[in-house]
Amino acid sequence: MSRHVAIVTDSTAYLPARTMERHGITAVPLTVVLGDRALEEGTEISTRALAQALQKRRPVTTSRPSPAVFEETYRKVAESGATGIVSLHLSAELSGTYDAAVVAARQALVPVRVVDTGMIAMALGFCALAAAETAESGGTVDEAVTAAEKRAAGTSAYFYVDTLDYLRRGGRIGAAQALLGSALAVKPLLQLADGRIEPLEKVRTASKAIARLEEIAADRAGNAQVDVAVHHLAAPDRASALADRLRTRLTGLADLHVSEVGAVIGAHTGPGLLGVVVSPR
């Protein structure tokens, strides 16, 4: 590989394959456990299969990559010519992925800086892109880490879910449990705060909740130059319509990505998820 500093992330960054290839980013897959089968996210389980399993209330859990998987990834990256690695991962509040990477980094052939971005989905993806662009311009490991951390500090992520039930089952809602008493009567809006999924607002109907999600994203973006991602699970029409409205509203919009989340996030949010990531450049 041409660059000396390599960027590693995990499958929950949901970066487009072409983008990862163009920037030389490597993603380590998390695992979805469907019944008694352990399946790698991105290659062995589709979001369609996941959504069907959730709708049938089949048991679905998720698992971090093992340190051995990270060790193998770091070895391959080093053997490809990297003299340093920046390993950027989803919030340690939500997964043990960061801890597994830290363990593996101790055995790596080259120096590895492991970073808990506190992010998830394209909020993590934008951090990986910032680090990769810095590395491509000749930046050091420290400079790539700084670029990722700066991007993370400015990035916001907001989510609409049809129900909190999946987050409750997976133990991922933290303070959002306060919403459970009225979950049947409201449509919850959530945010990523300090690496955790927290309650933001309660709205009475799905249509009003999605409209409010748009308002929050637009307010957060303001007139700044921003990259935006719209995520969904089994809600492509909703996501497309929301993305079209944001394209019209955001005067400083640079790039806008629309994508379905993978099985790991989907397992904890359930079908109907809509998410918006706003990341100032």
Side-chain angles (χ1 to χ4, degrees):
M1 57 196 299
S2 59
R3 62 190 56 83
H4 293 293
V5 176
I7 308 303
V8 173
T9 187
D10 59 67
S11 59
T12 68
Y14 301 135
L15 286 163
R18 290 182 179 178
T19 300
M20 291 180 58
E21 183 177 356
R22 183 166 67 249
H23 293 282
I25 299 171
T26 301
V28 177
L30 275 72
T31 299
V32 176
V33 181
L34 186 60
D36 59 356
R37 300 175 63 204
L39 305 167
E40 283 190 356
E41 181 176 44
T43 58
E44 295 180 338
I45 180 170
S46 67
T47 50
R48 180 181 178 86
L50 171 78
Q52 291 174 341
L54 291 172
Q55 288 164 345
K56 294 177 181 177
R57 302 188 70 82
R58 294 179 60 189
V60 180
T61 58
T62 58
S63 177
R64 70 177 192 180
S66 69
V69 171
F70 274 110
E71 284 184 32
E72 178 67 9
T73 299
Y74 295 153
R75 182 188 64 78
K76 288 180 178 179
V77 170
E79 290 177 350
S80 296
T83 56
I85 298 171
V86 177
S87 197
L88 303 158
H89 300 293
L90 79 159
S91 172
E93 295 282 348
L94 302 175
S95 169
T97 300
Y98 167 80
D99 294 329
V102 168
V103 171
R106 299 180 187 132
Q107 310 300 322
L109 300 175
V110 298
V112 179
R113 285 281 301 279
V114 183
V115 179
D116 171 13
T117 65
M119 299 283 110
I120 198 166
M122 274 298 293
L124 168 59
F126 288 133
C127 294
L129 283 174
E133 288 166 357
T134 299
E136 288 168 349
S137 64
T140 65
V141 166
D142 287 346
E143 288 169 338
V145 169
T146 297
E149 290 178 337
K150 182 178 180 180
R151 196 69 184 260
T155 296
S156 301
Y158 309 101
F159 308 96
Y160 160 81
V161 291
D162 276 334
T163 172
L164 287 171
D165 189 42
Y166 299 104
L167 285 161
R168 177 188 60 78
R169 285 191 235 167
R172 296 303 197 278
I173 53 175
Q177 290 193 32
L179 294 175
L180 286 176
S182 57
L184 295 177
V186 300
K187 293 299 183 180
L189 293 177
L190 309 170
Q191 64 179 335
L192 194 61
D194 298 322
R196 298 183 296 272
I197 297 172
E198 303 282 4
L200 182 60
E201 294 183 6
K202 294 179 285 186
V203 185
R204 285 294 176 184
T205 66
S207 60
K208 289 181 180 179
I210 295 169
R212 183 61 184 139
L213 181 66
E214 177 187 338
E215 290 287 340
I216 291 168
D219 288 346
R220 176 66 184 86
N223 296 320
Q225 186 179 30
V226 294
D227 294 323
V228 171
V230 175
H231 290 302
H232 73 93
L233 180 64
D237 293 340
R238 278 180 175 178
S240 179
L242 176 58
D244 287 343
R245 294 194 299 273
L246 289 173
R247 285 190 185 97
T248 300
R249 292 190 64 162
L250 302 186
T251 58
L253 182 63
D255 289 332
L256 192 151
H257 303 260
V258 181
S259 66
E260 191 165 33
V261 299
V264 168
I265 291 182
H268 296 291
T269 62
L273 163 77
L274 273 183
V276 180
V277 175
V278 180
S279 185
R281 289 196 168 187

